[in-house]
């Protein structure tokens, strides 16, 4: 077997492990098979719906439907039994994360109960996902009742449609958990990843057709847009991997008689983008909220507000400004949930670890809070720019074949690809050291 001691495994070593190691091969095949099952479930139709009328509704849904359809891999537009996909579970996870910061009982489960507490929290998340899925499926069924086939009672249509949608969502949630336990990578993230990837061939095909039938200006716009997407992907990699390494030093400790352990120097990493893709998801939900309510209530003033918050309106700068401000605000909000300087300072003090030149305790907490705020501001501005620039380039070039495939989708694709690659590398490294021990 090819071994590369002291560094990350090479591509050749990973391929050799994939062929020779039954464990890694089984995990990869399990992951691919379950993801294929998720994709097949999207094309199993929900019964009792006039498909032609529903497609007209989808075309009029605008950006909100396109945004949600990306995460379901076309499940909403095809209206299969997996139409809701992993969305209820993602919403439930966000709700539990927010409630954990507000409810001491949930915070106790997460921080002090260990593996048993995390299992209880995961079970609570499943129940919340079930409740949220039932609510979403009922609302969706009530919206779809106007597209029911003639002769089908309205109550029966709502019941069977809701049951089909929530059952499909729970099956997808179960598949994602099986992938996490027996496959490679995080199941929920990989389900979203494969759904986004599934929309790429259609977008690429539309872009190629546009390039073949367009003039030089259109071809030039496509080239500029592709270059912007490539630069955005590189920027996202730097944003996802960027961190500030704060040096920390452990004090000398006496072990046994007169022997002492020398002080050790290490570092404390603080990520540049602690919130990941969540600030963009929250900001998008808030921006699209007036449009959603306006479509349901037909309120004139909400329709006017939704018109202002539309990137294709006469005031795209207003949409960009509000969207940018919301992303920065949610970046600070989510960073406050994931990074607690007081807890970090307390743990460092208990472990006999300190930051050079900073007193332990409250001074360390203040120092970490200042560093975290500066990093969050820089990461929020960077994240906002990544979210706005591709949409602005689409508007300037009038090339909208990638509509819906914005910064959110690119962040998810890059982030999931990096995390999955790291898990594969970790598995290969563990196999490498097991081979060295056997030798």
């Amino acid at each position: 077997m090819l071994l590369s001691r002291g560094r990350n495994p090479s591509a050749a070593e990973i391929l050799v492990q994939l062929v020779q190691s039954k464990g890694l091969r089984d995990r990869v095949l399990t992951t691919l098979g379950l993801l294929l099952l998720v994709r097949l479930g999207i094309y199993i139709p929900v019964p009792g719906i006039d498909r032609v009328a529903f497609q007209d509704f989808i075309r009029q849904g605008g950006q909100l439907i396109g945004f949600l359809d990306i995460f379901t891999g076309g499940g909403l537009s095809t209206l299969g039994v997996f139409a809701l996909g992993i969305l209820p579970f993602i919403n439930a996870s966000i709700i539990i994360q927010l409630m954990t910061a507000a409810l001491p009982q949930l915070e106790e489960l997460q921080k002090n109960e260990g593996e048993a507490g995390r299992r209880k929290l995961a079970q609570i998340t499943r129940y919340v996902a079930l409740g949220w899925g039932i609510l979403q499926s009922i609302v969706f069924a009530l919206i779809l009742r106007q597209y029911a086939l003639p002769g089908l009672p309205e109550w029966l249509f709502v019941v069977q449609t809701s049951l089909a949608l929530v059952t499909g969502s729970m099956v997808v949630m179960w598949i994602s958990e099986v992938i996490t336990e027996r496959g490679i990578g995080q199941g929920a993230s990989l389900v979203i990843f494969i759904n986004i990837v599934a929309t790429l061939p259609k977008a690429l095909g539309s872009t190629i057709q546009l390039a073949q039938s367009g003039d030089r200006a259109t071809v030039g716009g496509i080239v500029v847009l592709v270059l912007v997407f490539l630069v955005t992907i590189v920027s996202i990699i730097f944003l996802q991997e960027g961190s500030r390494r704060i040096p920390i030093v452990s004090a000398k400790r006496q072990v046994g008689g007169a022997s002492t352990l020398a002080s050790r120097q290490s570092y404390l990493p603080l990520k540049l983008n602690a919130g990941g893709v969540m600030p963009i998801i929250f900001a998008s939900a808030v921006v699209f909220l007036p449009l959603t309510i306006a479509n349901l209530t037909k309120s004139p003033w909400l329709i006017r507000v939704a018109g202002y918050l539309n990137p294709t309106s006469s005031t795209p700068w207003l949409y960009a400004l509000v969207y940018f401000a919301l992303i920065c605000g949610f970046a600070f909000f989510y960073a406050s949930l994931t990074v607690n300087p007081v807890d970090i300072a307390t743990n460092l003090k208990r472990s006999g670890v300190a930051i050079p030149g900073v007193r332990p305790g409250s001074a360390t907490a203040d120092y970490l809070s200042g560093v975290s705020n500066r990093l969050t501001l820089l990461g929020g501005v960077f994240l906002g720019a990544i979210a706005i620039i591709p949409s602005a380039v689409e508007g300037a070039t009038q090339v909208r074949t990638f509509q819906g495939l914005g910064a959110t989708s690119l962040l998810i694709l890059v982030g999931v690809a990096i995390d999955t690659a790291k898990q594969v590398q970790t598995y290969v490294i563990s196999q490498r050291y097991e081979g060295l021990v056997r030798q």
Side-chain angles (χ1 to χ4, degrees), residues 38-46 51 54-55 58 64-87 140 165 191-202 403-404 409:
V38 170
R39 291 302 307 162
L40 291 177
I42 289 175
Y43 298 100
I44 301 175
V46 174
R51 298 282 163 172
F54 178 72
Q55 289 300 322
I58 289 294
L64 178 62
I65 297 295
F67 179 76
L68 296 177
D69 207 30
I70 285 289
F71 294 100
T72 60
L76 286 179
S77 57
T78 58
L79 200 58
V81 293
F82 287 178
L84 293 182
I86 200 67
L87 288 178
F140 203 30
L165 291 177
V191 169
I192 299 177
F193 178 89
I194 196 66
N195 286 337
I196 294 175
V197 170
T199 63
L200 289 178
K202 181 179 178 181
Q403 187 71 33
S409 303

Side-chain angles (χ1 to χ4, degrees), residues 219-409:
V219 175
I222 292 174
V223 172
V224 171
L225 186 60
V226 170
L227 291 176
V228 169
F229 271 114
L230 293 176
V231 173
T232 302
I233 291 173
V234 175
S235 302
I236 289 173
I237 294 174
F238 281 105
L239 182 65
Q240 291 288 91
E241 296 296 293
S243 63
R244 167 77 181 275
R245 295 185 175 186
I246 300 175
I248 54 176
V249 179
S250 60
K252 293 183 179 180
R253 291 179 294 175
Q254 186 171 356
V255 180
S259 61
T260 59
L261 291 178
S263 61
R264 294 178 300 171
Q265 187 169 2
S266 183
Y267 63 87
L268 175 68
L270 292 180
K271 290 185 68 65
L272 178 62
N273 181 28
V277 73
M278 290 302 174
I280 290 184
I281 293 178
F282 286 168
S284 301
V286 172
V287 168
F288 288 131
L289 185 61
L291 177 61
T292 306
I293 300 176
N295 289 334
L296 294 176
T297 62
K298 306 299 181 182
S299 173
W301 71 273
L302 276 178
I303 293 176
R304 191 178 303 111
V305 171
Y308 290 134
L309 297 179
N310 192 330
T312 60
S313 66
S314 58
T315 57
W317 60 269
L318 180 60
Y319 161 82
L321 184 63
V322 172
Y323 193 34
F324 184 85
L326 286 173
I327 290 174
C328 292
F330 281 118
F332 275 96
F333 173 74
Y334 206 84
S336 68
L337 298 179
T338 56
V339 180
N340 191 328
V342 176
D343 288 347
I344 296 175
T346 302
N347 293 332
L348 290 177
K349 187 176 181 180
R350 288 176 180 173
S351 304
V353 179
I355 299 174
V358 182
R359 281 186 170 185
S362 59
T364 300
D366 293 339
Y367 174 79
L368 293 175
S369 178
V371 174
S372 177
N373 288 335
R374 290 193 295 272
L375 285 174
T376 304
L377 177 61
L378 180 60
V381 171
F382 200 10
L383 194 63
I386 290 175
I388 290 174
I389 290 176
S391 298
V393 173
E394 284 184 0
T397 58
Q398 295 300 312
V399 178
R400 303 191 181 276
T401 52
F402 288 96
Q403 187 71 33
L405 187 67
T408 307
S409 303

